[in-house]
Amino acid sequence: MRFALLKLRRLVVVMFAVTLLTFLLVNILPGDIAYDIAGQDASEEEVQQIREDLGLNEPVLIRYFTWLGGVFTGDWGKSFRTGEPVMEAILSRFPVSLQLMIVAQIFALLLALPFGIISAYRPGGVMDRFIAGAAFFCLSIPPFMMAILLIFLFALFLQIMPATGYEPLSAGLWENMRFFILPALSFALAEWTVLMRVLRADMIGVLQQDYIAMARAKGLPTLRIILVHALRPSSFSMITIFGLQVGSLIGGSIIIESIFALPGVGRLLINAIYARDFIVIQGCVTFIAAAYVLVNFAVDLIYALLDPRIRVEGARG
Amino acid sequence: MANTTVDQAPADAATEDKNAEAVAATKRAKRLGISFWLPVGWLSLVGGAAVFAGWLGLPDPGDADFLSIQSPPSAEHWFGTDVLGRDILTRIIYGARVSLTVGFCAPLIGMFFGLILGLLAGYYRGRVEAMIVSTMDTVLALPALVVLLLFSAIFGGSLTTVSVGLGLLFIPAFARVSRANTLNFAEREFVLAARAMGAGDFYIIVREILPNVVLPVIAFALVAVATAIVVEGALSFLGLSVPSPTPSWGGMIAEGREHLQETPHISFVPATVMFLTVLSFNLVGDTLRSRIADVRESAL
């Protein structure tokens, strides 16, 4: 409990810092939004009126705290461009981003688990070296490049996958999933390498433990030893990295969502940046940062649940 | 007295063992394989071309050849031409300037400040450390790419904004590596000896600790170079790095996106060059890192 509280306190501090920083940054965005909204023929009074309406005449810090107060009551402001409430805009797009992330991480795990186990089983062997080489190769292809490659291969050349677009889940599971496979693979083909390496390193250590030798001596089948006895203690670091990756995926989703025209939070953010719609930017960054920080918090807790030593030490520190 | 000789014997054996290890390590050092020299060769090629681009007799990267728009590779245009008929090879070479500038400046900025903070935190401990570590953790909690996007949207995409923005975001990682390594050395005998001889904190940090910390930090910097090139590529792909007429790899990949069907080379040539460059930095960094680890082990 103490451990969770300590982490929670840090979480609040981080969120405060992030939102304040974003607010200050966003407020020095070049260009005057009031002029943009008013249009070219607007008089000075009209522009002034718009500023007044948007509350742009207040000092930045006052505006920040007004906005922060709104965040807690569910009023995240309205888009300067479309008038859409920011919170609704984000919440309506969030499921898409979430689905992308979940599918991506499932793919990454599906690749990392078998390859990590195979590598750790005979470190230095042919398979291990081959997998390490493949991982190095994959790691050097950034997701946006992988996306182009996948679109070329599967959408244009083989024509078995759609290049861009989105169908809601109501159109049917397969119709909906089709649009997530390539975007998720763009992430997964890079992310699995990190997971695999960490799993391999930990599992090599675990497989040398006495209790594994004991299990072997008892004549348990190898597969059972690995999956039942070795996998759990080998996966601590991998879970941490897994969580951190979810964080980095949230950032990376901006690019992938705009390449594949997926209507997620990342795409909302990039469009807001292009349009200098700063209340939307502010909302998106807050949301993304909160998600990022919460995921890391959750990772810490899960980690503590899996490994009681952390709990004790964390609370002591 | 007799005890010392007895104690000495295993110690000698251990040193011998370590010497043998060191010899093995140097032997390995002499035999850096093809997986080291090939990337180094590629990086020299790209780096050399970028530096001497003006003397290579290339057309201007903005020159459009309207007679051969989107043409495939030919004798005249080795890598073909892009949507506007500009020579892709030329643009890749000039684009390398952008990638390599960001690739080196950002890690340098991160390394400079990260080293200072890491050394201070690891050496002074206590309140200084607590403050530095918690500030760094806060920065690490920011979604880096999002912050960088904002940064270049606000200050306008340019080499400076991208390099500085990315450099600042690199600081916490470098500070962590530096701090961890400083902690390793701060209480060692040679530091105590220096202090006993009356050396000041500044002298100890710079002359005694820094030389030991800097090597692993440099190995980490090489990986950071690869990351920086990738991130710059992503930003210019989104049009948020250097503005349009200036060629950049990410921007070139983005330009070819609409024409993947008919003329995939417009995207794939710059993509391949970028991939090879990133792969090379990763390979070289990895080799150096394990090499440093070897040297460490044999020296301890």
Side-chain angles (χ1 to χ4, degrees), chain B residues 1-85:
Chain B
M1 272 297 143
N3 265 343
T4 25
T5 34
V6 174
D7 277 345
Q8 213 107 48
D12 275 348
T15 1
E16 237 167 70
D17 232 43
K18 267 168 198 163
N19 282 341
E21 253 175 59
V23 170
T26 35
K27 259 190 193 158
R28 252 177 291 154
K30 276 177 193 153
R31 260 188 279 117
L32 281 165
I34 194 162
S35 67
F36 180 78
W37 289 114
L38 212 60
V40 168
W42 170 258
L43 291 177
S44 327
L45 183 72
V46 175
V51 172
F52 299 111
W55 289 282
L56 293 177
L58 297 162
D60 189 88
D63 270 355
D65 181 353
F66 295 111
L67 294 177
S68 55
I69 284 172
Q70 295 190 33
S71 65
S74 63
E76 198 187 344
H77 303 286
W78 289 2
F79 287 164
T81 57
D82 69 3
V83 200
L84 296 174

Side-chain angles (χ1 to χ4, degrees), chain A residues 214-228:
Chain A
M214 170 74 186
R216 261 200 199 126
K218 273 188 353 196
L220 290 180
T222 311
L223 201 64
R224 192 182 148 83
I225 294 177
I226 286 179
L227 294 182
V228 179

Side-chain angles (χ1 to χ4, degrees), chain A residues 106-141:
Chain A
I106 290 176
F107 284 165
L109 267 187
L110 284 180
L111 287 165
L113 280 176
F115 287 134
I117 291 173
I118 293 171
S119 291
Y121 187 61
R122 292 236 186 283
V126 182
M127 279 311 282
D128 182 32
R129 273 179 293 159
F130 176 75
I131 292 171
F136 232 100
F137 204 79
C138 286
L139 195 66
S140 301
I141 305 180

